[in-house]
Each structure stands twice: as structure tokens, then as C-alpha cells.
Amino acid sequence: MKDIKAMLPDELAAALKEMGEPAYRAKQIFQWLTRGVASFDEMTNLSKPLREKLQSSFSITSLKMLRKQVSAHDGTIKYLWELPDGNAVETVVMRYHHGNTVCISSQVGCRQGCAFCASTIGGLIRGLESSEMLEEVLSSERESGLKISNIVLMGIGEPLDNFDSVVRFLRLVNHPDGANIGMRHISLSTCGLIERFDDLAALDLQLTLSVSLHAPDDETRSRIMPANRGRGVEALIDACERYYRRTGRRISFEYAMIDGVNDTPKHAKLLARHAKRISAHVNLIPLNHVEERAFQPSTPEHLQQFIHILEREGVNVTVRRRLGSDVDASCGQLRKKVAEGRG
Ligand code: SAH
């Protein structure tokens, strides 16, 4: 059985042609799938024989809601979805003034090993299929009743470690006959798998690339992010520069402020140098404390001092608001809790 939700309308049209059906059926089917039908029988503008043929050749991927938590502070919604094979992933819907943003997972677990992150604790199980990522967006939209206008690939997993499925997902969710979410409304966040940056740039997708930098020097970065070992900050900034030159899209640096680890004036100055070199935007994130991890968020004084240095250097800097802190809304925390029977 072929996963029909992972097929782009062109591919669907080609498959239908082989079945002796006209190409325009592809658009009808794609639209039904976007609306979330659970079976081919619900596609009432298709003939019964065609519905039966489709039924015998294709499966329709859907997610089952295991948990839903709504933040009492800010309305952030966190979903835990069960995938067709029984694994579970998290999706978060955040309500911003500029529109509702969905934060989706790209893998079940993660193998990047960042020392402050909850998603990586059990390692990687598998990458998500494009259809599963698409359903994170569509199921969240349907279930919440909120129109989604922005997507961030900042949930569980490393998107560039699941490159082909992620790119396919981007094309599916961007398609005008489907969810039609513009690439400029999509951010992809990476821990810096630089060997994939040129491939991504070559696709010229116009999305925003966010780089989880978290430290501006190799000593600090390799300590907290194993992905830095064997690659290095210099090579990362070079790759960012090439990406920026080629796509014209400014890169955003994510920087979680960790007490006593990456939050000194020395770190701020070196970070400013990197940011200025490639006109990157810096997004400071107050660290979310993870039970299993020893790290603590920086003090407000150190955060202020850090911001002050970046601003003095002329860097474009913002501090991320903490949404959904009462619903375990940071990477991997809910999935872990439920898996351990503590949820
Ligand atoms: N693998 C990708 C995307 C997933 S994580 C990446 O590394 O970018 C999304 C963001 O949350 C990353 O910037 C990640 O470093 C950050 N993050 C992970 N754990 C965190 C924590 N405990 N507190 C704050 N940010 C965290």
C-alpha cells in the first residue's frame, strides 16, 4: 500500500493516469486529504469504482490524539500524537499576534545529543514520514479550530537528519491546492549539519534557516553540542555565509542562555562578531530547565548584560517569550513523561 498523503498532486496525477483516470482527479483527492477525510468513501465526488480502486492501492496516514494540554497563561496548546506504528511525537500550537504558529517534530527522538535538550535522551527511533509531518500541521489545525499561518520545525528531532522527508513535507504543506502555507512563513531549525546546507540552499525555498548556535567558540559549543565536534564553529559560520549569499535569506541564530556556560561578556562579543559577519539575527532563549539536566537558565542580570553587549555591537537581537511553560511545551518533555508513565 502506498502512502497517498506523502504524494504531491503531480505524482498523484501520474499514478491516476496509469489507472486510466483523468489528471484533475488528483487535485480533488489532494483537497479531500487536506480536509482530513479518514477514508476514500468520504470522497463523494469520485465514482464508487474509483474509490474502491484507490482503497486497494493506497493508505491514508492519520494521527491519533493521545494528549492535549492547554496553557492557562497564554493558550498555547501541546498535542501528543500517536503515529501509525505506535510511536508518539509532540506538536505545539502557539498564539502570536502575527498569527498562529505550529511547532512540529521531524523525528521520533534525536541522535544529536545536545546536553541541555530533553528530546535526545532516548536517542533516535526513526525519522518522520512527510505525511506524518503534514498531519501534525493539519490535525493541529482541525483539532484546535485555529487557522495556522506559520510553521517552525523546532520540535523533536533534527530536520536535516531527515532531509528528503522534510523537503517533501515542505512541498506538500506549501502546495496551493493544500494547506498553502508560504515558505516565508516557515522556519527550519538545525543544530548545524553543515554538509546539508548547500543542498538546502540549492532548492531555493525561501524559508528561514535557524541555526541553533548556543555558543560562539569550539570549546563551549563542542561541550554542549556534540554535533559541533569534527565540524567546528568556523566551518558552521562559513556554511551560513554561503547559504545567505546564495538564497539572500538572513539566518537566525538561536542561543539558549545557560548560567555560567555560554553567557559571559566574552561569549557575547564573539557571538556579535559572527552575527555581524553574515547579518544574522540573534534570538536569545531563556533556557528551559530539564529535570535530567544539570543546566540552569542565566540570571536576569547576565541576560541583560549579554543583550546590552550585542546591541552595542549593532546586532539585531530579540528574546524569545516563554510560551506554554505550564504544559511542558519544550522539546521532548511531554513525550518522555508519558512514555515513563508520569504524565
Ligand atoms: N534539532 C533542531 C531543532 C529542534 S530543537 C535544532 O537543534 O535546532 C529547537 C530549539 O530548541 C533548538 O534551538 C534547541 O537547541 C532548543 N532547545 C533544546 N532544549 C532546550 C532547552 N532545554 N531550553 C531552551 N532551548 C532548548
Side-chain angles (χ1 to χ4, degrees):
M1 297 275 256
K2 219 167 144 44
D3 177 0
I4 198 167
K5 265 199 189 136
M7 293 171 78
L8 286 155
D10 283 354
E11 297 165 335
L12 201 49
L16 286 163
K17 200 172 155 209
E18 273 181 27
M19 298 163 77
E21 295 289 334
Y24 69 85
R25 293 278 180 224
K27 179 171 173 169
Q28 293 175 322
I29 295 169
F30 193 70
Q31 287 172 334
W32 280 116
L33 293 170
T34 303
R35 265 182 261 164
V37 297
S39 74
F40 291 103
D41 270 339
E42 291 171 54
M43 302 184 177
T44 48
N45 55 359
L46 307 184
S47 71
K48 189 136 204 300
L50 175 57
R51 274 152 35 195
E52 278 164 6
K53 264 195 280 182
L54 292 170
Q55 180 74 43
S56 62
S57 329
F58 298 103
S59 62
I60 300 178
T61 294
S62 63
L63 306 182
K64 189 177 136 207
M65 193 174 83
L66 291 177
R67 278 302 164 93
K68 176 183 183 181
Q69 298 183 345
V70 184
S71 164
H73 305 321
D74 51 46
T76 296
I77 307 171
K78 179 142 198 170
Y79 292 105
L80 185 71
W81 304 110
E82 186 178 75
L83 305 169
D85 70 351
N87 278 302
V89 288
E90 294 165 38
T91 307
V92 181
V93 179
M94 293 162 291
R95 310 177 69 164
Y96 290 111
H97 297 301
H98 62 268
N100 300 312
T101 299
V102 64
C103 174
I104 69 159
S105 298
S106 58
Q107 296 183 309
V108 183
C110 184
R111 59 175 158 194
Q112 304 305 325
C114 297
F116 44 82
C117 181
S119 298
T120 197
I121 292 172
L124 174 69
I125 297 175
R126 67 172 175 87
L128 292 189
E129 300 296 333
S130 57
S131 54
E132 293 171 325
M133 289 181 262
L134 180 64
E135 267 313 303
E136 288 187 72
V137 178
L138 298 178
S139 298
S140 299
E141 187 162 53
R142 278 195 301 274
E143 209 290 328
S144 67
L146 297 170
K147 176 85 194 127
I148 302 290
S149 48
N150 303 284
I151 300 174
V152 295
L153 281 137
M154 293 190 184
I156 299 170
E158 167 52 47
L160 297 187
D161 189 34
N162 189 19
F163 192 86
D164 294 344
S165 296
V166 164
V167 169
R168 176 169 284 274
F169 155 71
L170 293 170
R171 297 197 189 287
L172 287 166
V173 82
N174 175 242
H175 201 283
D177 295 334
N180 195 18
I181 295 179
M183 288 289 181
R184 286 173 181 262
H185 295 265
I186 302 178
S187 293
L188 185 153
S189 182
T190 177
C191 64
L193 302 190
I194 50 178
E195 56 281 10
R196 285 302 200 170
F197 280 30
D198 293 336
D199 301 333
L200 189 64
L203 298 172
D204 198 18
L205 293 176
Q206 294 299 303
L207 48 73
T208 299
L209 183 62
S210 288
V211 171
S212 298
L213 190 61
H214 302 320
D217 62 284
D218 282 326
E219 195 193 326
T220 315
R221 195 163 192 270
S222 290
R223 181 149 79 89
I224 56 177
M225 299 183 72
N228 193 63
R229 300 173 198 159
R231 293 188 177 96
V233 172
E234 205 53 44
L236 174 57
I237 308 300
D238 287 348
C240 289
E241 184 170 27
R242 281 200 308 280
Y243 185 90
Y244 175 45
R245 287 245 171 87
R246 194 148 172 191
T247 63
R249 303 283 299 161
R250 276 184 202 203
I251 286 180
S252 199
F253 286 150
E254 305 291 305
Y255 201 101
M257 296 288 293
I258 313 175
D259 186 40
V261 173
N262 63 358
D263 62 350
T264 69
K266 206 172 131 220
H267 290 113
K269 282 177 204 149
L270 189 52
L271 170 60
R273 201 200 299 165
H274 296 320
K276 282 195 291 188
R277 186 177 136 199
I278 60 164
S279 311
H281 173 96
V282 174
N283 194 210
L284 298 176
I285 313 169
L287 182 82
N288 267 306
H289 179 67
V290 174
E291 229 171 81
E292 293 79 1
R293 306 299 205 186
F295 300 114
Q296 297 294 338
S298 298
T299 62
E301 296 73 37
H302 286 156
L303 177 62
Q304 277 317 315
Q305 182 186 47
F306 206 86
I307 296 170
H308 182 74
I309 294 171
L310 291 173
E311 284 180 340
R312 199 183 59 204
E313 296 285 333
V315 174
N316 183 348
V317 53
T318 49
V319 181
R320 181 179 299 169
R321 264 198 311 148
R322 286 190 70 197
L323 293 180
S325 52
D326 55 335
V327 291
D328 303 306
S330 49
C331 309
Q333 294 187 40
L334 180 61
R335 172 176 162 260
K336 249 194 111 268
K337 251 195 204 174
V338 171
E340 289 162 0
R342 295 184 290 129

